[in-house]
Amino acid sequence: MAQYRKQIVDEQRVWEVTFPLRGADGQYRWFLSRTEPIRDERGRVVRWLGTNTDITLQREAEEALQQANQRKDDFLAMLAHELRNPLAPITTAAQLLRIGAGNPENIKRSSEIIERQVKHMSHLVNDLMDVSRVTKGLVSIDKHEVSVASLVTSAVEQSRPLIEARGQALMLDIEDDTILALGDRSRLIQVLTNLLNNAAKYTQQGGRIALTARVRDEQIEIGVADNGIGMDASLLPHVFELFSQAERTPDRGEGGLGLGLALVKSIVALHNGHVTAKSAGRGMGSTFTVSLPLLQQDDARAIGAHTDRTAASRRILMVDPAEEGGAALSAALSAALQAALQAEGYTVVLCRDGPSALASAQGPHPDAILIRTDLPGLDGHALARQLRALHPDERALYIAVSGPCQSHDKIVARGAGFDHHLERPVLIASLRRILKLGPT
C-alpha cells in the first residue's frame, strides 16, 4: 500500500491495479481499478477520476490464448522430435548400404530399416494432412447404410496388433448386431480405430479396454472405456482440440502427434453426431462416447432402393491426358483400375483430350464421366458443360478429378455441374461408392 500511496499522493500520477473480487455468488471475478488525476490550467490536481472495470472475460481470453500458444509450441517440439527420430536409423541404414553394398544380408536389413522408418514418417505426414483437410471442411463424406457391428469388427482388426502387443484385454458388448447408421464407412472406422488406439496407448501393459454399442433415444452410442492413466479435470475441456495431448507415460513408446481426437470430433460432426470424454481423474481411466443418429428401417429401405436404381451406371468415360511423368488419372489408377471396373461389368473408354471426349460422347451418352480438371488446351470444367450440352435430357454422373488439398476445387466443380469431386490418386473403393450413389 505504501507504494500505491507514493504513486497517488506524492507523485500524483496515474495508478492502476488488477485484482480478484468475490461476488455474492461466491465466484471470483477480475477487476481493473484505475485512478487518474484531473488538473487545472496551472497543473494543480483539482480532483481524481477513478474507475473499476470487470475484465474477467478479457483475462480469461488472454489466458486461453497463452495456453493455446503453449500447446502449439509443445506440439511443434513434439513434431520435430517425431520426425527426427526416424532419420537416425535411415542414415545408419544408408551408411550400411554404402559400406556393405556387396553383402546381401546388409542390403536386406538396411532395406527393412528404411522401409519401416519411411512408413512411420508417412504415417505422421498423412495425419497432418488428414487433420488439416477434415478440420477445414475440405473432405466430403459418402454417406450410405453401414452396420455398426461391421464398423466395430473392422476397427478392432486394425487396432488388435497394438492391443495384443501391450497384453491388454479387449471386451466387446454390442447390444444388437442389426444396428444401422448412415455414414461414410471408412471414416467411421477411422473414428473407432483412433479411439481404440488412444485407449491402448494410454493404458498400462495388461490393462483392460471395453467397447460397447447400444441404442439410446434414437441415437447410437458407441463407447470406448479403459482403466488407464485417466485425465485431469483441466484437460477434459481441451481433449478434442488440436495440439492438445496428455502427458506421455514411460511405457508409451508408440509416439504419435496427438491429432487423433481432433479428427474424431470433426468426422463425427460431419455425421451430425457428437463425441464426449469423461474421466474421474488420474489413474481412474477414461471413457469416450460417440453418438450418431440411428438409421431407421424405413430410411434404410429407401436408401437401398435408391442404390438399386442408380447402380446401373455401366458405361464410363475417362478424360485424362496421361502426360509423361505427370500424376495422370490413368497412371495413378493404372490399368488395374480399368481392369477392375471392367471385371465388374463396366465399359471403360479412355480419352486423352477434350476433342476426342466430345467425339466419343456423340454416340450413346456415357453413364459416368471422369474428367481431369486441369486438361491442357481445354479446361475440364468447360468440357463438362459441353458434354452436358450434347445430351441435355440425359442424366449422367459427372466426377471431377484434381490434385490434393485445393480448397476451391470442390466449389468450382459444383458450379460446373459435377456431382462429385475426387483427389488424385483416386482409389477404386472411393470410385466404386460414387458410381453406386449416382448423380446428386
Side-chain angles (χ1 to χ4, degrees), residues 2 5 11 19 30 55 68 115 149 152 165 176 231 243 251-252 264 267 280 295 320-321 336 350 367 377-378 409 424:
R5 175 182 174 83
E11 300 178 5
F19 55 90
W30 281 89
I55 60 168
E115 181 181 9
V152 171
D176 184 351
M231 290 177 284
F243 313 139
D251 63 338
R252 185 192 158 211
V264 165
I267 293 173
L295 180 63
D320 187 89
L350 176 62
D367 300 294
L378 177 62
D409 280 346
R424 299 196 307 268

Side-chain angles (χ1 to χ4, degrees), residues 128-168:
L128 286 170
M129 298 290 290
D130 206 15
V131 76
S132 175
R133 287 194 294 262
V134 171
T135 54
K136 290 180 181 178
L138 304 182
V139 171
S140 60
I141 57 174
D142 299 324
K143 291 185 179 181
H144 51 93
E145 174 189 329
V146 290
S147 162
V148 172
S150 69
L151 295 177
V152 171
T153 299
S154 297
V156 169
E157 281 180 4
Q158 295 186 27
S159 301
R160 189 176 295 281
L162 174 59
I163 295 172
E164 290 182 346
R166 298 177 65 83
Q168 295 161 343

Side-chain angles (χ1 to χ4, degrees), residues 77-140:
M78 179 175 59
L79 174 60
H81 175 74
E82 290 286 348
L83 290 176
R84 192 186 300 115
N85 274 347
L87 295 181
I90 288 176
T91 302
T92 302
Q95 293 172 347
L96 189 61
L97 281 174
R98 185 172 65 251
I99 296 172
N103 188 328
E105 182 60 31
N106 282 348
I107 294 176
K108 180 176 181 295
R109 186 158 49 122
S110 300
S111 299
E112 290 173 349
I113 292 173
I114 293 173
E115 181 181 9
R116 186 164 58 249
Q117 298 303 325
V118 168
K119 268 185 188 177
H120 176 63
M121 295 185 74
S122 298
H123 177 70
L124 296 176
V125 173
N126 287 338
D127 276 356
L128 286 170
M129 298 290 290
D130 206 15
V131 76
S132 175
R133 287 194 294 262
V134 171
T135 54
K136 290 180 181 178
L138 304 182
V139 171
S140 60

Side-chain angles (χ1 to χ4, degrees), residues 29-312:
R29 299 187 67 82
W30 281 89
F31 286 85
L32 167 65
S33 286
R34 179 182 174 88
T35 301
E36 181 174 353
I38 307 299
R39 302 178 186 273
D40 60 15
E41 64 276 5
R42 296 182 181 180
R44 294 177 300 182
V45 176
V46 295
R47 62 183 179 273
W48 288 82
L49 175 64
T51 59
N52 202 33
T53 307
D54 186 336
I55 60 168
T56 304
L57 294 179
Q58 176 185 340
R59 187 179 178 91
E60 289 175 349
E62 290 173 351
E63 290 176 350
L65 182 59
Q66 290 174 358
Q67 292 173 2
N69 282 334
Q70 184 61 49
R71 287 198 300 271
K72 180 196 68 177
D73 292 343
D74 292 343
F75 172 80
L76 291 176
M78 179 175 59
L79 174 60
H81 175 74
E82 290 286 348
L83 290 176
R84 192 186 300 115
N85 274 347
L87 295 181
I90 288 176
T91 302
T92 302
Q95 293 172 347
L96 189 61
L97 281 174
R98 185 172 65 251
I99 296 172
N103 188 328
E105 182 60 31
N106 282 348
I107 294 176
K108 180 176 181 295
R109 186 158 49 122
S110 300
S111 299
E112 290 173 349
I113 292 173
I114 293 173
E115 181 181 9
R116 186 164 58 249
Q117 298 303 325
V118 168
K119 268 185 188 177
H120 176 63
M121 295 185 74
S122 298
H123 177 70
L124 296 176
V125 173
N126 287 338
D127 276 356
L128 286 170
M129 298 290 290
D130 206 15
V131 76
S132 175
R133 287 194 294 262
V134 171
T135 54
K136 290 180 181 178
L138 304 182
V139 171
S140 60
I141 57 174
D142 299 324
K143 291 185 179 181
H144 51 93
E145 174 189 329
V146 290
S147 162
V148 172
S150 69
L151 295 177
V152 171
T153 299
S154 297
V156 169
E157 281 180 4
Q158 295 186 27
S159 301
R160 189 176 295 281
L162 174 59
I163 295 172
E164 290 182 346
R166 298 177 65 83
Q168 295 161 343
L170 175 62
M171 293 163 285
L172 302 179
D173 181 9
I174 302 176
E175 184 179 65
D176 184 351
D177 59 8
T178 65
I179 300 174
L180 299 176
L182 181 63
D184 187 311
R185 176 180 173 79
S186 62
R187 287 297 182 180
L188 290 177
I189 292 173
Q190 183 181 11
V191 165
L192 298 184
T193 302
N194 279 343
L195 291 179
L196 286 170
N197 288 345
N198 193 69
K201 290 176 181 179
Y202 288 103
T203 300
Q204 66 279 4
Q205 293 278 345
R208 298 189 308 276
I209 301 172
L211 190 153
T212 60
R214 47 182 49 88
V215 176
R216 295 289 183 271
D217 300 325
E218 305 301 320
Q219 290 280 311
I220 303 168
E221 291 188 356
I222 305 174
V224 176
D226 62 67
N227 65 339
I229 67 173
M231 290 177 284
D232 289 332
S234 60
L235 178 63
L236 282 173
H238 309 288
V239 71
F240 295 106
E241 297 176 4
L242 279 176
F243 313 139
S244 179
Q245 190 175 46
E247 179 184 348
R248 295 185 175 208
T249 57
D251 63 338
R252 185 192 158 211
E254 289 75 21
L257 299 177
L259 301 176
L261 293 180
L263 271 173
V264 165
K265 180 182 178 181
S266 298
I267 293 173
V268 171
L270 289 173
H271 287 81
N272 302 318
H274 62 274
V275 58
T276 59
K278 293 181 179 179
S279 178
R282 282 184 175 260
M284 303 299 290
S286 304
T287 300
F288 291 85
T289 304
V290 172
S291 296
L292 299 169
L294 176 67
L295 180 63
Q296 304 290 350
Q297 291 297 327
D298 291 343
D299 297 331
R301 284 193 289 270
I303 292 172
H306 173 75
T307 300
D308 291 341
R309 288 194 302 271
T310 59

Side-chain angles (χ1 to χ4, degrees), residues 404-423:
C405 299
Q406 300 297 316
S407 58
H408 62 283
D409 280 346
K410 193 182 302 184
I411 299 173
V412 175
R414 282 287 183 183
F418 283 98
D419 300 289
H420 299 279
H421 175 269
L422 291 174
E423 296 178 355

